[in-house]
């Protein structure tokens, strides 16, 4: 029976947290949505042998009511599966919409659990995200001065977490500074239960891994914590060193990189990979004119690459530079982001039908679209590629019978510059 239940607001966030939990010794299953946990399907069977279950939702930019409803459904399914402590996982850059969905979902989960307060901890120093004086930094830049300022879906124009969160929640928003965290577990625990904090959402500073361990220990009795994956650093599972699953594919199996993210980090990764891998950029005009033909052309290109060198994955990408972003969408047309998601999801299906057994996907929305299109219901976490990124084993039935494939779902902002070329070494 699982010890911990987690709800992630996107698919890359789910594998991000699951990767951390596996590293901490939790046999972890990622369930794609909550539906299969309630019956005797594959997800329910796998959960019985897990120490932690992460439900992957596509709720980060959904309408508030939809995000709340999906999150509560996930909580009910996790509770029914036996979980008694819970973790609401959102991005370490705290990106959401002006009305939510971090605050409304947190309020709803607390209400459902009969709890009054929790912590807000987006810090993840291993990926350059730190919180100091309630302000969120991306490496050495304030959030609003980082590339997240111009994110195409969730532009972040303020780094003060209290100001971001206050309009989203019915509860008071408080803050606890680094000096209290550094005073130790007992001091932090007392601060969190002091008058004015017992019914609040409390932003807690953290700039180093040890701060996260202190926060985790001080909040061990809370039924719900919220934050990025870094907060799991303070957890310890029962299977240290033995929680990863083996790869489904073999060396030399065909693979591909599908990059839908427009983030600065992914653009740098694309620039590096185009010098080393065969590549093709998505043509928005062609996708709008005839999406079926455009996808077929991309798949034919990938198959031709495999015939030349099956171990050298082709790169299919949407944005290589800021100039590739669409600023003047044709009237009545499908938005570029949605067009890219559909196209890369369709490519993933056709590539798996054609024999692909390894797919590296960049971008949270793209990852959600790909996993859904492949019909994957659970993900087992394997080898870590980078902080917050790991290979995951799943099954897809798009070829007519279940096929084991390896997926790496990468947040647009995560990974080193060479991740599109070096990730494959971890499957060897």
């Amino acid at each position: 029976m699982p010890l911990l239940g987690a709800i992630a607001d996107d698919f890359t966030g789910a594998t991000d947290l699951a990767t951390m939990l596996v590293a901490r010794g939790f046999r972890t299953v990622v369930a794609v949505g909550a539906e299969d946990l309630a019956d005797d399907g594959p997800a329910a069977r796998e959960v019985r042998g897990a120490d932690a279950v992460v439900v992957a939702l596509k709720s980060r930019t959904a309408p508030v009511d939809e995000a709340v409803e999906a999150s509560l459904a996930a909580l009910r399914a996790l509770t029914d599966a036996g979980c008694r402590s819970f973790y609401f996982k959102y991005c370490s850059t705290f990106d959401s919409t002006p009305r939510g969905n971090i605050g409304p979902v947190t309020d709803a989960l607390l209400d459902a659990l009969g709890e009054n307060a929790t912590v807000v901890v987006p810090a993840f120093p291993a990926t350059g995200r730190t919180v100091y004086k309630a302000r969120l930094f991306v490496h050495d830049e304030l959030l609003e001065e980082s590339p997240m300022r111009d994110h195409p879906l969730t532009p972040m124009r303020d780094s003060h977490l209290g100001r971001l969160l206050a309009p989203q929640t019915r509860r008071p928003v408080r803050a606890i500074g680094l000096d209290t965290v550094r005073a130790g577990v007992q001091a932090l625990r007392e601060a969190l239960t002091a008058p004015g904090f017992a019914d609040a959402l409390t932003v807690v500073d953290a700039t180093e891994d040890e701060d996260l361990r202190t926060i985790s220990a001080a909040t061990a009795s809370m039924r719900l914590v919220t934050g990025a994956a870094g907060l799991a650093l303070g957890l310890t599972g029962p299977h240290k060193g033995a929680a990863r699953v083996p790869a489904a594919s073999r060396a030399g199996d065909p693979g591909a990189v599908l990059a839908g993210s427009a983030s600065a980090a992914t653009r740098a990764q694309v620039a590096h990979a185009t010098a080393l891998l065969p590549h093709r950029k998505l043509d928005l005009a062609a996708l709008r004119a005839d999406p079926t033909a455009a996808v077929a052309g991309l798949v034919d290109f990938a198959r031709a690459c495999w015939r030349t060198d099956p171990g050298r994955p082709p790169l299919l990408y949407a944005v290589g530079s800021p100039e590739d972003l669409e600023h003047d969408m044709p009237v009545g047309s499908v938005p570029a982001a949605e067009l890219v998601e559909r196209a890369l999801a369709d490519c993933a299906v056709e590539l798996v039908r054609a024999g692909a057994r390894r797919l590296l996907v960049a971008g949270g929305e793209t990852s959600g679209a790909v996993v859904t299109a492949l019909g994957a219901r659970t993900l087992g976490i394997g080898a870590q590629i980078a902080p917050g990124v790991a290979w995951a084993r799943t099954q897809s039935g798009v070829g007519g019978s279940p096929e084991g494939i390896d997926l790496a779902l990468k947040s647009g902002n995560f990974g080193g510059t060479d991740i599109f070329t070096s990730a494959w070494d971890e499957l060897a």
Side-chain angles (χ1 to χ4, degrees):
M1 183 175 290
L3 306 172
L4 175 67
I7 301 164
D9 65 1
D10 78 350
F11 284 70
T12 56
T15 57
D16 176 11
L17 176 58
T19 299
M20 181 66 77
L21 291 172
V22 166
R24 302 302 303 159
F26 290 83
R27 293 177 303 190
T28 305
V29 172
V30 175
V32 180
E35 297 82 2
D36 285 354
L37 295 180
D39 55 29
D40 196 33
R45 290 195 294 273
E46 289 189 39
V47 162
R48 295 190 192 105
D51 306 311
V53 182
V54 183
V55 176
L57 302 178
K58 202 169 182 231
S59 60
R60 178 173 300 171
T61 57
V64 172
D65 290 348
E66 290 181 18
V68 168
E69 182 180 356
S71 300
L72 288 175
L75 178 66
R76 289 191 294 270
L78 290 167
T79 301
D80 290 345
C83 299
R84 292 295 176 264
S85 59
F86 303 93
Y87 194 134
F88 172 35
K89 196 278 177 193
Y90 41 77
C91 186
S92 56
T93 45
F94 211 71
D95 52 310
S96 57
T97 65
R99 291 186 57 213
N101 291 322
I102 294 172
V105 169
T106 301
D107 281 348
L109 295 175
L110 285 171
D111 291 346
L113 290 168
E115 299 292 323
N116 295 319
T118 190
V119 290
V120 176
V121 190
F124 194 174
T127 60
R129 279 57 162 169
T130 56
V131 177
Y132 181 63
K133 293 187 176 180
R135 291 184 178 273
L136 181 56
F137 288 78
V138 178
H139 298 289
D140 59 352
E141 296 179 311
L142 288 166
L143 179 64
E144 74 266 20
E145 297 171 358
S146 76
M148 285 300 298
R149 173 181 176 81
D150 298 315
H151 191 284
L153 293 178
T154 52
M156 301 303 294
R157 304 293 171 80
D158 193 353
S159 61
H160 194 285
L161 295 172
R163 283 197 298 264
L164 290 170
L165 193 56
Q168 301 182 16
T169 177
R170 303 185 310 274
R171 289 174 165 82
V173 179
R174 306 285 187 246
I176 290 178
L178 196 61
D179 54 346
T180 303
V181 176
R182 297 283 170 85
V185 173
Q186 185 59 31
L188 178 55
R189 187 181 292 125
E190 290 174 358
L192 286 168
T193 55
F197 287 78
D199 62 348
L201 306 186
T202 302
V203 177
V204 187
D205 283 0
T207 64
E208 298 178 0
D209 287 352
E210 193 57 36
D211 300 329
L212 294 174
R213 294 187 182 96
T214 298
I215 297 168
S216 184
T219 58
S221 63
M222 285 186 170
R223 290 196 70 198
L224 174 72
V225 296
T226 85
L231 188 55
L233 269 174
L235 302 176
T236 301
H239 296 93
K240 187 69 173 174
R244 290 179 177 173
V245 301
S249 62
R250 298 171 296 179
D253 278 350
V257 181
L258 307 176
S261 173
S263 73
T266 298
R267 294 199 307 267
Q269 292 156 357
V270 166
H272 180 272
T274 52
L276 299 168
L277 298 178
H279 54 275
R280 185 70 58 87
K281 184 162 75 73
L282 274 63
D283 184 330
L284 294 180
L287 285 169
R288 286 200 171 100
D290 189 341
T292 301
V295 166
L298 293 167
V299 173
D300 287 345
F301 167 74
R303 296 180 70 174
C305 294
W306 294 339
R307 286 193 291 272
T308 302
D309 185 352
R312 191 165 173 245
L315 164 66
L316 307 180
Y317 69 99
V319 179
S321 72
E323 289 71 29
D324 293 332
L325 293 171
E326 185 175 66
H327 300 289
D328 298 309
M329 184 180 71
V331 176
S333 298
V334 175
E338 185 177 340
L339 201 65
V340 167
E341 286 176 38
R342 289 181 188 174
L344 290 179
D346 290 344
C347 283
V349 169
E350 296 306 319
L351 290 171
V352 169
R353 282 194 176 122
R357 294 296 174 262
R358 302 172 165 194
L359 296 176
L360 196 167
V361 187
E365 299 300 316
T366 305
S367 292
V370 166
V371 171
T372 302
L374 291 176
R377 302 311 310 159
T378 61
L379 304 172
I381 304 301
Q384 184 169 336
I385 301 167
V389 189
W391 285 105
R393 179 174 181 154
T394 191
Q395 281 196 325
S396 171
V398 299
S401 59
E403 288 283 358
I405 60 174
D406 291 308
L407 288 174
L409 308 179
K410 186 194 83 68
S411 165
N413 297 303
F414 281 9
T417 303
D418 67 344
I419 192 169
F420 292 163
T421 57
S422 64
W424 317 93
D425 297 339
E426 303 302 327
L427 288 173

